[in-house]
Each structure stands twice: as C-alpha cells, then as structure tokens.
Amino acid sequence: IRRRKISVIGAGFTGATTALMLAQKELGDIVLVDIPQVENPTKGKALDMLEASPVQGFDANIIGTSNYEDTANSDVVIITAGIARKPGMSRDDLVSTNAKVMRAVTEQIVKYSPDCIIIVLTNPVDAMTYEVYRTSGFPKHRVIGQSGVLDTARFRTFVAQELNVSVEDVTGFVLGGHGDDMVPLVRYSYAGGIPLEKLIDKDRLEAIVERTRKGGGEIVNLLGNGSAYYAPAAALVQMAEAILKDKRRILPAIAYLEGEYGYNDMYLGVPTILGANGLEKIIELELTEEEKAALDRSADSVRKVMKILN
Ligand code: APR
C-alpha cells in the first residue's frame, strides 16, 4: 500500500493554500509545482508547510519543484497555474495566455501521470477545463473543473448569516458557468431540510442570489490586488477528497456534456457524483422554463469564451 499522491500545479496563493489544506487532511503526499523562475520560493513554501506538520500532527510529505518528473504517478492533479487579469489586459488576452499555460502544463501532467484525475481551477475555468480535456486526450470522467462547490459555499455562507444558523445545515445548488450569470437554484436549496423559500422572504433571497453571483468580484474588490483563494482552495480539497476516498459525494462540478441539459461538446457546471473514477455520473434534473433560460444564457457566455480558443 502506498500513500496517495497529489500534485498541485501553480504554487501561487490558491495552489499553496490548497497544498496545505490537502496535507492537513492527510489526503496524500503533495507535490507543489511552479515555473523554474520561482523554483526556490516554491521549495521554500513546501518546506515551510512540512515544518508545520509536527505541530499540527499530520503526516504528509510536501515538496516544491519545477520538474514534472517529481509529479510522476500522481493520483490527482490540481491545476491552479496561470495569470489573473491585470490592468490594461483584455479578457481575450487572459483567455489565450491561460490556454497556453493549460496546454503546456497538461502535456507534462499527462506524460508523467497518464492515469491521473485532473481538477482545473484556472479561470475562465469552464473554457480552461475544456482546453485541458482536449489537450490531455483523457476520457471525460478524468477531467473536471471546480466552480460550483465554491459558488455554493458562498451561497451557503450568506444564507447561514441571514438565518443565524450553522453553515453545516445549509445546502445550496448552483448550475452553469463560473460567471455572473451562474444559476443558483433556490428551489433546490435547504436549511435543515426546510426549503429556503419557507424561511427567507423573496426579496432577501433574491439579494442573496445576486450577492452569490458576484461573490468573486466582491472579494477582488476587497483584496485590491488578486482574487479569492481560501474558499477556492477549500472547494478543490472537497472535490479531491470525494475522489481520493471514493466518497461518491453529490457535488456540483464542471463536466463535459454530451447532450445533458441540452448541451454538447462543452464544459459546464452541473450536479455530479464524484468518486474514485472522478466524474461518476452527471445528475440530470428537470428545470423550469425560467431556470433553463438562465442556464442557456450562462452556457452562451461560456461558448463565447470558448470561441476565442478556436
Ligand atoms: N506552470 C506552472 N505554474 C505557472 C505557469 C506554468 N506554465 N504559469 C504561471 N504559473 C504560476 C505562477 O507562477 C503563480 O505562482 O501560477 C501561479 C498563480 O498564482 P497566483 O498568481 O497567486 O494566482 P491565484 O490567486 O492562485 O489564482 C490562480 O486560480 O482562481 C483562479 O482566476 C484565478 O486563474 C487564477 C488561478
């Protein structure tokens, strides 16, 4: 029996936070990878985390590297590499730059871990997951993207605050692309098993939905220089845990669609079951006309970004 191995590509704010959270949960040994120009800081971050392990009481080897040989035979690989949008940069610039990063890192991942499951976080994440999928040549169940767990976590946070109850008792449900037109489905959201519509009045619920949609922007504005990373890292870890422990959790994930919800040959956030094979199943639900129209708008936004890649 060997310990599981998880590689995190991109050792920036999100990558480093993810690595630490994975190690704290003893989900496996961690390899943190970044570009050669920052190899020493990457090694430094990894060693610093490792030195936290005696105090926190976790056993996990953590290394930093720019050499993909060190990632060989990873069970799960998480991609957080890339750049965030900087002043003067168009959205298109961001898409093409990060798509290049996706292709470069995916080639290396596939070379050394041909059987791994890849989870993508880099934005714009729906399109980037598609890029990783087609570069990897992996079956669709082994390439997924993260957005719904994070968006749902934001929704759950705001609902728990509103009701002054435990976040653990609040469940949410977000469909669609990771953008301002994502589709939080209030109809399928509960607190302690009670439909939210029975606990919170319509206007307040709508305000919470709106805040959830713009949750990423709210953090960007507050941070002033960068984007969210604690909650995104936590979301990645939950998905990785579901896979590594074969928990078969029902979680929203960005999945490759072949007809599900009426969409083809694209990645979009949908409810899934995550287990040892990665994406075990997409759960298809009937949507109201209004919900389907909202999802169509979200899918259109994702397609617009995908067009830049072709
Ligand atoms: N290979 C490996 N690492 C790379 C590469 C590459 N080709 N290109 C860039 N990186 C690294 C950078 O050197 C940096 O350390 O990716 C890291 C990104 O980290 P940050 O700039 O701190 O960005 P972060 O806030 O972690 O966000 C990363 O996640 O949420 C998304 O929109 C966000 O796309 C962004 C990504």
Side-chain angles (χ1 to χ4, degrees), residues 9-45:
I9 317 299
F13 284 104
T14 320
T17 309
T18 304
L20 180 61
M21 289 182 179
L22 289 165
Q24 285 171 327
K25 284 187 150 259
E26 294 190 321
L27 289 175
D29 288 333
I30 315 293
V31 182
L32 196 53
V33 185
D34 210 302
I35 50 176
Q37 291 83 334
V38 293
E39 180 157 40
N40 277 342
T42 305
K43 286 186 191 305
K45 285 180 195 181

Side-chain angles (χ1 to χ4, degrees), residues 9-14 34-35 80-83 98 101 105 121-123 227:
I9 317 299
F13 284 104
T14 320
D34 210 302
I35 50 176
T80 72
I83 54 159
N98 279 353
V101 172
V105 305
L121 182 83
T122 304
N123 275 314
S227 55

Side-chain angles (χ1 to χ4, degrees), residues 8-18 33-38 42 45 65-66 68 79-86 94 97-98 100-102 104-105 120-125 128 146 150 178 220 223 225-229 232-233 236:
V8 180
I9 317 299
F13 284 104
T14 320
T17 309
T18 304
V33 185
D34 210 302
I35 50 176
Q37 291 83 334
V38 293
T42 305
K45 285 180 195 181
T65 184
S66 64
Y68 279 85
I79 303 180
T80 72
I83 54 159
R85 199 163 143 185
K86 297 195 183 73
L94 176 72
T97 304
N98 279 353
K100 266 187 220 133
V101 172
M102 292 307 101
V105 305
V120 183
L121 182 83
T122 304
N123 275 314
V125 63
M128 292 305 111
Q146 188 300 123
L150 170 62
H178 190 45
V220 166
L223 291 180
N225 182 23
S227 55
Y229 53 98
L236 284 168

Side-chain angles (χ1 to χ4, degrees), residues 151 158 179-184 206 208-217 294:
D151 296 329
F158 305 147
D180 293 352
D181 48 16
M182 69 179 80
V183 189
E206 261 166 34
I208 289 173
V209 165
E210 206 38 40
R211 189 174 174 197
T212 302
R213 285 208 177 100
K214 305 208 165 113

Side-chain angles (χ1 to χ4, degrees), residues 26-258:
E26 294 190 321
L27 289 175
D29 288 333
I30 315 293
V31 182
L32 196 53
V33 185
D34 210 302
I35 50 176
Q37 291 83 334
V38 293
E39 180 157 40
N40 277 342
T42 305
K43 286 186 191 305
K45 285 180 195 181
L47 182 58
D48 191 13
M49 284 179 211
L50 187 66
E51 289 165 357
S53 66
V55 182
Q56 294 210 309
F58 61 82
D59 285 299
N61 194 27
I62 310 171
I63 64 160
T65 184
S66 64
N67 181 354
Y68 279 85
E69 267 180 62
D70 294 325
T71 69
N73 301 316
S74 294
D75 298 290
V76 168
V77 177
I78 294 173
I79 303 180
T80 72
I83 54 159
R85 199 163 143 185
K86 297 195 183 73
M89 240 182 128
S90 74
R91 191 179 168 78
D92 294 12
D93 290 339
L94 176 72
V95 173
S96 344
T97 304
N98 279 353
K100 266 187 220 133
V101 172
M102 292 307 101
R103 288 193 287 271
V105 305
T106 302
E107 278 165 17
Q108 295 300 312
I109 293 166
V110 169
K111 182 169 169 198
Y112 291 102
S113 301
D115 300 319
C116 72
I117 292 167
I118 303 179
I119 310 175
V120 183
L121 182 83
T122 304
N123 275 314
V125 63
D126 305 87
M128 292 305 111
T129 310
Y130 185 78
E131 199 60 20
V132 170
Y133 168 69
R134 62 178 187 181
T135 306
S136 68
F138 280 8
K140 63 180 178 178
H141 65 92
R142 289 204 279 125
V143 182
I144 55 178
Q146 188 300 123
S147 73
V149 175
L150 170 62
D151 296 329
T152 308
R154 287 181 174 144
F155 180 76
R156 292 170 62 197
T157 304
F158 305 147
V159 167
Q161 277 183 337
E162 175 76 20
L163 292 173
N164 194 19
V165 299
S166 166
V167 288
E168 283 188 75
D169 289 329
V170 182
T171 56
F173 200 108
V174 178
L175 280 175
H178 190 45
D180 293 352
D181 48 16
M182 69 179 80
V183 189
L185 284 190
V186 170
R187 203 156 61 88
Y188 289 117
S189 303
Y190 300 85
I194 306 162
L196 288 187
E197 285 154 325
K198 298 212 186 295
L199 297 171
I200 306 176
D201 72 50
K202 211 167 176 275
D203 291 354
R204 291 296 306 158
L205 256 178
E206 261 166 34
I208 289 173
V209 165
E210 206 38 40
R211 189 174 174 197
T212 302
R213 285 208 177 100
K214 305 208 165 113
E218 185 178 2
I219 305 285
V220 166
N221 289 336
L222 288 168
L223 291 180
N225 182 23
S227 55
Y229 53 98
Y230 292 115
L236 284 168
V237 171
Q238 188 174 62
M239 293 173 76
E241 184 178 29
I243 293 166
L244 289 159
K245 293 188 177 169
D246 192 23
K247 284 174 79 84
R248 299 188 65 89
R249 290 211 58 183
I250 298 182
L251 294 173
I254 298 171
Y256 185 71
L257 301 183
E258 289 174 298

